[in-house]
Amino acid sequence: MALDYADLMARRCRDRVTWGERDAMLYALGIGLGTDPTNERELRFVTEEDQRVFPTFAVVLGFAGGPLSNLEIDRRFQLHGEHAIELFGAIPPAGAVVSEGRMLGAWDKGPGKGAVFCQEKLLYLEGSDKPLARILTTAFGRAEGGFGGPREGQPPPHTVPDRLPDARIDIPTAGNQALIYRFSGDWNPLHVSPNFARSIGFERPILHGLCTFALTARAVLAAFAEGEPARLHAHQARFSAPVFPGETVSVDLWRDGDVVSFEARVTARNATVIRNGRAVIGEPLA
């Protein structure tokens, strides 16, 4: 069925998500925190003593539902292109949010060239009229071009500085990391089933893109914010290649005031896995 641009842009969704302390801890374990039992900075995320919530946990709260989940497109040819979060407060260890979703844009690249779709979700702590977070999800549908949407107007990607990085952080991933991360809500068999992964062209299961997204946030905080989660105000990135569990992700970072640009590579394969990254750090969010 052909997409209708006017109908697509008019779509709205409203969802409610609850979580508890264990959900936040499990997410932190899934992004590789807590591997060193003597690292007190990381233990705050994976134990109940003075528990903190890692800021990219917002992607879990905004993962399910939304206009993109209801698009009548061929999921076999859908790719997760970009992701962005903007935070307005620290996420509590347990609670409930109401999310309000809408389409921000749909850009038609033409027949045989695919289409780009972007949705926005605003997350509100239940009972509050002030947003806790804003989440943008961009997807590329390789089989969806030619539906009549605009070809121009898509926001340009962030450009990283043309100079040597100011810092590099290497983050190893565990061989079973995808098996842990999936318990935060992404049950796609691509991340756990060797047979499924081979059936769509991968040699083995790949790590979740949003897990790699969180690894780059870990690097930003480690390099320029003393690991303080409440200092991350925004984080966005473009996915360019998969990471296989067990690989080491090397994150190059450039700081210009409160803006941190970044890209990530798996040096062993000479593969750039994250491009056009941009984070904003500042005073701790309350």
Side-chain angles (χ1 to χ4, degrees):
M1 180 182 296
L3 296 171
D4 180 273
Y5 179 71
D7 172 73
L8 179 64
M9 296 305 299
R11 296 188 182 197
R12 301 288 187 271
C13 290
R14 185 178 175 89
D15 299 285
R16 181 178 182 271
V17 178
T18 63
W19 75 98
E21 291 88 349
R22 290 187 180 186
D23 299 308
M25 291 182 207
L26 186 56
Y27 173 79
L29 291 170
I31 64 172
L33 293 168
T35 56
D36 179 356
T38 66
N39 186 329
E40 295 185 6
R41 182 177 289 171
E42 292 191 5
L43 287 175
R44 299 177 299 171
F45 301 109
V46 297
T47 63
E48 60 275 17
E49 184 177 352
D50 189 30
Q51 185 182 356
R52 306 290 182 89
V53 177
F54 199 77
T56 54
F57 183 63
V59 304
V60 175
L61 304 181
F63 181 73
L68 277 177
S69 67
N70 297 323
L71 290 185
E72 297 84 5
I73 65 176
D74 193 331
R75 301 294 174 181
R76 297 173 301 170
F77 303 106
Q78 179 181 329
L79 301 174
H80 191 170
E82 301 176 45
H83 213 82
I85 62 172
E86 186 177 1
L87 298 160
F88 307 108
I91 303 172
V97 293
V98 174
S99 70
E100 296 181 352
R102 65 178 181 128
M103 291 298 297
L104 274 190
W107 296 276
D108 188 346
K109 301 299 183 181
K113 297 182 180 180
V116 177
F117 307 97
C118 182
Q119 76 172 19
E120 174 195 67
K121 275 192 173 185
L122 289 174
L123 306 183
Y124 297 84
L125 284 173
E126 200 162 52
S128 174
D129 59 358
K130 297 181 179 180
L132 174 69
R134 177 176 184 252
I135 302 173
L136 303 183
T137 305
T138 302
F140 179 59
R142 291 184 291 169
E144 310 308 326
F147 66 90
R151 296 198 179 195
E152 306 296 333
Q154 185 178 354
H158 174 68
T159 301
V160 302
D162 184 18
R163 66 175 192 265
L164 291 176
D166 299 316
R168 170 175 283 186
I169 302 291
D170 294 327
I171 302 180
T173 66
N176 66 345
Q177 193 146 346
L179 296 174
I180 302 172
Y181 186 87
R182 70 194 295 254
F183 282 95
S184 289
D186 188 342
W187 301 98
N188 189 332
L190 172 60
H191 305 296
V192 296
S193 169
N195 288 337
F196 185 88
R198 285 192 293 266
S199 74
I200 58 174
F202 293 100
E203 61 185 66
R204 54 194 173 98
I206 66 174
L207 191 62
H208 302 72
L210 287 177
C211 183
T212 307
F213 180 82
L215 299 185
T216 60
R218 287 180 53 193
V220 169
L221 293 178
F224 300 119
E226 300 179 335
E228 175 53 54
R231 289 191 59 194
L232 187 70
H233 292 202
H235 197 74
Q236 67 182 59
R238 174 174 289 194
F239 304 108
S240 55
V243 173
F244 294 102
E247 294 184 321
T248 294
V249 177
S250 298
V251 186
D252 289 332
L253 305 113
W254 297 261
R255 182 172 183 178
D256 295 285
D258 290 340
V259 174
V260 178
S261 303
F262 59 89
E263 291 195 334
R265 300 177 56 79
V266 174
T267 305
R269 288 191 287 115
N270 193 31
T272 300
V273 297
I274 293 286
R275 296 185 185 275
N276 308 110
R278 180 182 184 274
V280 178
I281 55 176
E283 292 300 314
L285 297 166

